[in-house]
Amino acid sequence: MLDAENYFEWLATCADDLEYSIRAYSPEIRNEVTWLEKDYKGLEVLFKQLPMHERYKGQFRRILGWTGWAGHDPENRIFAVESSLCVYHTDLHGASVLYCTAKYRDNFCLESGVPVMCSRMVLMDTRRLPFGSHIPI
């Protein structure tokens, strides 16, 4: 859904109290840097405003690698999953480049027996993204 830029459809698969962030460790300042941090309503506003923003032209392709079970909190009925991620960008001329590498750290909960995403932390390896890269990864 994110590759097709169906952002509201993707958001519909998330919990109402979703927490979303994009972070990276910066060795220069020896600390974690937060690039984007939004809740469900914040993402809704961002998605509504995207047509007004200057954006990176072309198409993104997210490729998930190894996905593993990262834990379970039976009391709160939350389970955690970690996935490796590569994102490629293909420009309007058809040239593709590696855009970033990262890891998804997702938490899912059950709502009426259906798994929904309650949080996603994108842990970036890549620390330099080009202009117009303020979309969710």
Side-chain angles (χ1 to χ4, degrees):
M1 287 182 255
L2 291 176
D3 285 350
E5 297 189 6
N6 294 332
Y7 298 120
F8 291 103
E9 190 177 330
W10 175 80
L11 200 54
T13 68
C14 299
D16 292 339
D17 59 350
L18 172 72
E19 297 173 4
Y20 180 92
S21 64
I22 301 173
R23 300 166 188 236
Y25 179 78
S26 171
E28 294 85 3
I29 63 172
R30 296 186 203 126
N31 210 340
E32 187 175 78
V33 177
T34 301
W35 287 18
L36 180 70
E37 190 166 54
K38 299 279 184 194
D39 61 9
Y40 187 98
K41 292 194 182 297
L43 285 172
E44 255 183 343
V45 170
L46 175 67
F47 296 157
K48 286 177 186 173
Q49 293 176 346
L50 278 178
M52 297 178 275
H53 290 215
E54 185 158 341
R55 303 220 5 244
Y56 214 55
K57 304 290 186 204
Q59 180 180 0
F60 290 94
R61 175 82 57 217
R62 293 157 183 85
I63 300 173
L64 289 177
W66 181 86
T67 299
W69 184 257
H72 180 244
D73 179 353
E75 184 176 321
N76 295 315
R77 300 189 326 163
I78 294 174
F79 54 97
V81 176
E82 241 179 50
S83 308
S84 58
L85 172 72
C86 289
V87 181
Y88 292 88
H89 180 262
T90 302
D91 68 19
L92 297 175
H93 303 288
S96 297
V97 296
L98 178 63
Y99 181 75
C100 71
T101 62
K103 184 181 347 180
Y104 281 153
R105 186 170 291 157
D106 297 331
N107 286 329
F108 293 90
C109 54
L110 295 176
E111 289 184 2
S112 302
V114 176
V116 294
M117 185 182 299
C118 353
S119 71
R120 168 167 282 173
M121 186 184 306
V122 183
L123 301 167
M124 300 280 293
D125 300 317
T126 304
R127 295 189 322 277
R128 294 183 182 185
L129 294 178
F131 170 77
S133 56
H134 52 273
I135 61 170
I137 294 175

